[in-house]
Amino acid sequence: MLEGNAIVEIDGTEHPVTRFDTTYVPTSTPHRFRNASATEPMRILWIYATVDATRTIVETGVTARVDAEHAKAASRDNG
């Protein structure tokens, strides 16, 4: 965590995390981070163990490569 407070849910168990806390989530382990505050920002630094990392959005069931998400964001920012 770079800034703020969050609740991280890892495989169904919730844990509070705050600035400078770190987490490790094994591949294929269901997890999510959510801001613990309705008024303060939350910033997270993500580091992936492989360039082939994927993310599945539970709400839609769509799985996409993480690098593809970043390519879309870069395209929007430069377009």
Side-chain angles (χ1 to χ4, degrees), residues 28 30-32 53-66 69:
S28 300
H31 63 282
R32 68 180 177 150
T54 60
R55 178 187 342 268
T56 301
I57 305 301
V58 173
E59 187 174 286
T60 63
V62 173
T63 298
R65 287 179 52 112
V66 173
E69 292 177 15

Side-chain angles (χ1 to χ4, degrees), residues 4-39:
N5 297 292
I7 303 297
V8 59
E9 183 180 329
I10 301 174
D11 206 15
T13 303
E14 292 186 347
H15 309 274
V17 289
T18 190
R19 188 172 185 213
F20 302 134
D21 283 349
T22 60
T23 59
Y24 170 79
V25 182
T27 301
S28 300
T29 301
H31 63 282
R32 68 180 177 150
F33 287 78
R34 65 182 190 276
N35 195 337
S37 172
T39 59

Side-chain angles (χ1 to χ4, degrees), residues 37-60:
S37 172
T39 59
E40 299 296 320
M42 173 187 80
R43 289 192 320 151
I44 298 174
L45 172 65
W46 296 94
I47 299 173
Y48 297 95
T50 176
V51 297
D52 298 320
T54 60
R55 178 187 342 268
T56 301
I57 305 301
V58 173
E59 187 174 286
T60 63

